[in-house]
Amino acid sequence: MTNLYSVHGFLTACLLVICSCAYIKRVPQLRNQLLREKHGARGTLYKAAIIGQRLHWQVSIACVLMAVYLLLRR
């Protein structure tokens, strides 16, 4: 279990949001419903999807490193 108030918990949550939003952007029905807004609080999801698409190999390496860190932490 990760704590959102620690650094690795925050990074895990950010990576989860980025990966989820990038996946949502690939599904047309979900994209039309969830990623319409480009400003405000819901615009954060749109921006996370853009980060996930443009930096896909860096995000995937970060996900693998975070998974290894979480597995070997204990």
Side-chain angles (χ1 to χ4, degrees):
M1 177 177 265
T2 60
N3 185 1
L4 190 59
Y5 298 114
S6 64
V7 175
H8 67 269
F10 178 72
L11 290 176
T12 303
C14 287
L15 284 173
L16 180 64
V17 168
I18 289 172
C19 293
S20 298
C21 289
Y23 175 74
I24 287 170
K25 192 164 174 80
R26 304 282 292 173
V27 180
Q29 293 86 6
L30 293 175
R31 179 181 60 219
N32 293 336
Q33 293 175 1
L34 298 174
L35 300 176
R36 272 186 280 168
E37 300 293 325
K38 295 183 181 178
H39 302 291
R42 292 193 62 190
T44 306
L45 298 177
Y46 175 78
K47 292 171 186 167
I50 296 298
I51 290 171
Q53 282 188 331
R54 291 187 181 169
L55 301 174
H56 58 87
W57 66 272
Q58 292 98 334
V59 172
S60 65
I61 289 173
C63 287
V64 169
L65 291 175
M66 184 59 71
V68 168
Y69 172 74
L70 289 175
L71 288 173
L72 298 177
R73 186 176 62 171
R74 286 191 178 194

